[in-house]
Amino acid sequence: MTPLTTIEGKAYPFGRKNVDTDVIIPAHWLKTITRAGLGKGAFETVRAEPGNVFDDPAYAGAPVLIAGDNFGCGSSREHAAWALGDMGVKAVLAPSFSDIFSGNAFKNGIATVVLPQAAIDRLMEVAKDHPVTVDLETQTVTTPFQDRFVFEMDPFRRDCLMKGQDEIGLTLAMDAEIGRYETAMADERPWL
């Protein structure tokens, strides 16, 4: 995973509530075992709507998505996080998230930032024409207009995102300790 400390740039001012994983990536895109190309299918039903934010060239490649309450509800498909990552999204801001989606996003290097609805409303306005900044180190979201919204994040998840460590990286970081344990077990219990 790529370390995330500061995510700065345009943001998709999406804002819809109760967006489920089938809206994020429809089921017919799930026939793949690779993450590459899933961004093309992300928000396919929304992209069918005229004037949608995801096909607006002003937001192309935006690293931040501003969403509504209960983002990522529905099924537990990890492909939703894969599709967002393939689009270039590194942080999603919303008043609340589905627990499963939030976990999948974290495991795929995407920060999920919970902010009050008033902050989301303000960021939706700012994002129409200006960038936003998500800073994991200071746990703030800021705008060029001196808006500063503080958020909480699980310290373990925050640390992993900032170090760019996924579960495999965490395990590999303990390689020496695991090796010592395995050697000790082989000496102590050779029949295993």
Side-chain angles (χ1 to χ4, degrees), residues 109-154:
I110 299 171
T112 53
V113 175
V114 175
L115 292 170
Q117 186 63 52
I120 294 296
D121 293 342
R122 171 65 179 153
L123 291 167
M124 289 282 293
E125 283 302 312
V126 170
K128 290 178 183 174
D129 299 303
H130 302 282
V132 299
T133 302
V134 180
D135 188 326
L136 295 184
E137 189 169 349
T138 62
Q139 294 182 203
T140 59
V141 178
T142 57
T143 73
F145 303 103
Q146 306 307 310
D147 296 299
R148 185 174 190 274
F149 305 106
V150 177
F151 62 88
E152 294 295 320
M153 182 177 276
D154 176 81

Side-chain angles (χ1 to χ4, degrees), residues 38-58:
L38 286 176
K40 290 182 276 183
F43 300 102
E44 184 176 72
T45 55
V46 175
R47 285 182 166 163
E49 301 167 7
N52 74 81
V53 70
F54 297 107
D55 287 334
D56 187 332

